[in-house]
Amino acid sequence: MENNAKYGPAAQTPEQRAYVLAQMQKAHPGLYKKATAYVTQLYRRYVAGELSWQDVCKMRESGVQ
């Protein structure tokens, strides 16, 4: 499998991205418990490989739906 620069070296597969997201949620539970349906959808798209984490952050902060 060729590495995609869009993701970090430890987040190349959906399983790895799900693990990374789970670790972030574990480290900051209050932040992630308040996630709206829109933000939850962004997280799913990140895990699926549709968005980079940078994309998620930009879209989450802009609030554009």
Side-chain angles (χ1 to χ4, degrees), residues 25-56:
Q25 290 171 328
K26 189 176 179 181
H28 305 283
L31 176 66
Y32 289 93
K33 284 182 182 179
K34 297 177 186 176
T36 65
Y38 171 68
V39 171
T40 301
Q41 177 188 33
L42 294 178
Y43 295 154
R44 276 192 235 118
R45 291 179 65 195
Y46 164 72
V47 171
E50 297 174 23
L51 299 171
S52 69
W53 188 250
Q54 291 81 8
D55 294 335
V56 170

Side-chain angles (χ1 to χ4, degrees), residues 48-65:
E50 297 174 23
L51 299 171
S52 69
W53 188 250
Q54 291 81 8
D55 294 335
V56 170
C57 292
K58 286 178 190 173
M59 294 172 81
R60 183 182 62 199
E61 291 169 10
S62 72
V64 175
Q65 296 186 26

Side-chain angles (χ1 to χ4, degrees), residues 11-28:
Q12 292 294 308
T13 68
E15 294 80 11
Q16 289 172 325
R17 288 187 291 275
Y19 178 77
V20 168
L21 180 59
Q23 293 303 304
M24 288 189 287
Q25 290 171 328
K26 189 176 179 181
H28 305 283

